Amino acid sequence: MTLVAGVDSSTQSCKVVVRDAQTGELVRQGRARHPEGTEVHPHHWWDALQAAIADAGGLDDVEAISVGGQQHGMVVLDADGEVVREALLWNDTRSAQAARDLISELGDGDVTVGAQAWADAIGSVPVASLTITKLRWLRDAEPENAARVAAVALPHDWLTWKLAGGMAEVGFDGLITDRSDASGTGYWSPFTEDYRTDLLEMALGSVPRLPRVLAANEAGPVAPAFAKKPVLGPGAGDNAAAALALGLLPGDVAVSLGTSGVVSAISAAPIADGTGLVTGFADATGSYLPLAVTLNASRVLDAACRMLGVDHPGLSELALSAPAGADGLVHVPYLEGERTPNKPMSTGALHGMRLANTTPAHVARAAVEGMLCSLADGIDAMRAVGVPVERVFLIGGGAQSEAVRRIIPSIMGVDVQVPTPGEYVADGAARQAAWVLSGQDAPPSWSASSDAEVMTGEPTPVVREQYAAARDLTVDRPA
Ligand SMILES: Nc1ncnc2c1ncn2[C@@H]1O[C@H](COP(=O)(O)OP(=O)(O)O)[C@@H](O)[C@H]1O
Ligand SMILES: O=C(CO)[C@@H](O)[C@H](O)COP(=O)(O)O
C-alpha cells in the first residue's frame, strides 16, 4: 500500500491524516492543539505538527505530504530564515486602518474607486485579514522589524519549508506555495496568475522573497526527516483543501464552521467584487474559490456554552427546545469584530430582550440562529455576484452541533448535506499529495466525502428578517 499524508494547520489545532494513495482509505490520524490568540509564534505550529505526526504514528512510511492551513497569516523571516516576530493571524484586526489606507491610496483618496481597483487587481478588497494589510501595519507600527524582513510566507508555506529542512537544506529557493493560498495574500493576482510586487512594495516599502507558486500537482522538495524522504506537495489554503476533499463542483457551496465561518464555492471564472463581501480567491486545482468569511462561527457556540454553563450537547438541547426565532431574541455574533460585513471594531449584541424570552433555551437558540444568519448573508452575497448555489455542504467543528445541523436548512432555505464528520482540510491535502505522487493531470478519483446526511426543514424567513433588522445595531469596540 502506498501511503500519503495530509496536514491541516488550522487556527485552533493541527491535524494529520494518513491515507492510501490509491483508494483514499483512512489509515490513521493524529492531532495537537495550538495556543490561543491572534498573534502566535510559528514555532508553536511546528511543535504542534510534530506532536500531531507522533499522534498519527509517525510519517516514516508515507511517500508524499501536503500541508493545508489557515490562510493569510503573516510569517516574516529575516535574512537567516529566522522568524522576525510573532505571526499575525487572519483573525487579528489590528491592521484594519492599514486596509483602509491601502484602499484609499489605490483610489487616489476615493475609497469606492480604490475598492474596485483592488478587486480588479487581486480579486479582493483588502480587509484586516489579508496578509498585505498586516505588512502595511508592520511598516507603520514596527519599522525596525519591517526593515529586517527578507522573506514573507503564509502558515502552510512556512510549515512546508520547515518539513523540507528550512534554510539549512533548501534556502529561500525552497520556499513554495500554491495559487489558492497565494490568492489570499493581497499581492497575487488570480487574473494574471502572478505576484503583484508593485502592490507589495506599496504596502511594505520593499519586495522580500516570496514562495514560488507551484502548479496544483507539482512536486516540491522532499522532507528529509522521514525514512522514505516523502515528496512535498504545494499545499493549499484550508478552504481550497476542503473543496478538493469534497470534490466540489460549480453550483456546490461549502459552509465551514471553524473559528471562521466560511461560505465557499467553485467558480470557473475569477470574481472581482468591489463591495468586498466576496473575496475572489483561486482554488487548488485551476479554478476559482470565491469566499465570504466571518470572524465568528464555532466560537460563538463556545461562548454561548460558557454563558449558559453547559457543554455542546447541552447547548443543542436547549436551542432545539426554543421556537424558531427565539420569540424575537436576536444574537448578533460579532464577538471578535467582523470581517463580512467589514466591521473590525464592532461587538456582539443580544437584541429584543423581553421577560418571556430571557431563558437559557432562547439565549441558546439565538446564538445558533445568529451565527447561521451571518453565513446565510454570505450565501446571498455569493448569489449577488452570480455564483450559483445549488447544493450546500456543512463541514468544520461546529457541524458537530445537532442544533446547527437541524436549524441550518430552515435558515438557508435549502436542503443541506452534512458529510460524515471528518478532517476535510487534511483530507484535501492528502488528496493533493496523492495527486502529486501520481504525476497525472487530474487528482485521484477518491474523495473523502462518501456519505452525507441530508438535512431538510421548512424555511423560517422571519429569523433572517429579525436578524437583518438588528444586524447593524452594534457598537464599536474601544480601540
Ligand atoms: N459537538 C460540538 N458542537 C459544536 N461545536 C463543536 C463541537 N465539537 C467541537 N466543536 C467546535 O469546533 C471548533 C473547532 O473546529 P475546527 O473546524 O477544528 O476549527 P479551526 O479550523 O478554526 O481550528 C471549536 O470551536 C469547538 O468548540
Ligand atoms: O481567513 C480565512 C479564509 O479567508 C479562514 O478560513 C482561515 O483560513 C481560518 O480558518 P479556520 O482555521 O477557522 O478553519
Side-chain angles (χ1 to χ4, degrees), residues 106 118 121-122 132 186-187 196-204:
L106 206 59
W118 277 100
I122 52 106
I132 194 164
Y187 43 84
R196 286 290 306 262
T197 50
D198 55 329
L199 299 177
L200 176 57
E201 184 164 18
M202 176 179 152
L204 181 64

Side-chain angles (χ1 to χ4, degrees), residues 33-331:
R33 283 202 64 79
H34 285 159
E36 292 286 324
T38 62
E39 188 178 22
V40 172
H41 196 290
H43 75 67
H44 291 297
W45 303 330
W46 179 243
D47 292 348
L49 175 58
Q50 302 306 315
I53 289 172
D55 192 40
L59 296 183
D60 278 335
D61 51 356
V62 308
E63 302 204 12
I65 306 171
S66 281
V67 181
Q70 53 172 310
Q71 296 192 248
H72 317 303
M74 177 191 74
V75 180
V76 278
L77 305 175
D78 69 13
D80 297 324
E82 298 297 330
V83 171
V84 170
R85 75 176 315 289
E86 289 79 2
L88 298 186
L89 272 53
W90 63 277
N91 53 353
D92 189 291
T93 53
R94 78 187 69 182
S95 56
Q97 184 58 45
R100 287 190 284 272
D101 292 347
L102 288 169
I103 292 169
S104 174
E105 284 167 33
L106 206 59
D108 287 329
D110 183 325
V111 289
T112 307
V113 171
Q116 190 60 53
W118 277 100
D120 292 339
I122 52 106
S124 306
V125 179
V127 287
S129 291
L130 299 201
T131 326
I132 194 164
T133 70
K134 299 176 191 304
L135 291 168
R136 167 54 70 88
W137 173 87
L138 189 72
R139 188 199 79 172
D140 293 345
E142 298 181 353
E144 66 296 346
N145 280 337
R148 290 175 54 214
V149 176
V152 182
L154 296 169
H156 109 252
D157 314 341
W158 184 78
L159 284 170
T160 306
W161 188 63
K162 290 284 284 180
L163 286 170
M167 207 64 179
E169 291 282 345
V170 291
F172 285 147
D173 288 345
L175 258 182
I176 58 169
T177 191
D178 88 308
R179 63 198 286 283
S180 71
D181 227 6
S183 65
T185 58
Y187 43 84
W188 186 89
S189 166
F191 308 105
T192 62
E193 302 267 336
D194 216 344
Y195 283 117
R196 286 290 306 262
T197 50
D198 55 329
L199 299 177
L200 176 57
E201 184 164 18
M202 176 179 152
L204 181 64
S206 63
V207 181
R209 289 290 296 266
L210 297 171
R212 196 159 51 89
V213 183
L214 298 192
N217 58 351
E218 191 176 339
V222 300
F226 303 108
K228 293 196 164 184
K229 304 218 176 332
V231 66
L232 290 161
D238 51 4
N239 299 296
L244 187 58
L246 291 167
L248 292 190
L249 299 168
D252 292 342
V253 167
V255 174
S256 168
L257 304 178
T259 311
S260 60
V262 181
V263 175
S264 58
I266 297 289
S267 163
I271 301 288
D273 177 17
T275 72
L277 293 177
V278 176
T279 53
F281 297 161
D283 82 345
T285 68
S287 294
Y288 301 90
L289 193 77
L291 302 186
V293 185
T294 72
L295 296 184
N296 299 286
S298 64
R299 280 178 165 166
V300 175
L301 305 183
D302 296 347
C305 286
R306 277 200 305 279
M307 280 198 296
L308 296 170
V310 294
D311 59 10
H312 281 294
L315 185 76
S316 270
E317 201 178 317
L318 282 171
L320 291 169
S321 70
D327 289 322
L329 190 68
V330 179
H331 180 141

Side-chain angles (χ1 to χ4, degrees), residues 17 19 26 29 31 246 394-402 405 417-425 427 448-453 455:
V17 300
R19 288 186 174 266
L26 180 64
Q29 58 187 320
R31 62 190 300 140
L246 291 167
L394 177 66
I395 57 169
Q400 294 174 61
S401 157
E402 190 190 346
R405 291 197 303 274
Q417 324 240 346
V418 186
T420 313
E423 296 304 338
Y424 287 95
V425 176
D427 289 340
S449 66
S450 43
D451 305 313
E453 185 184 4
M455 306 305 294

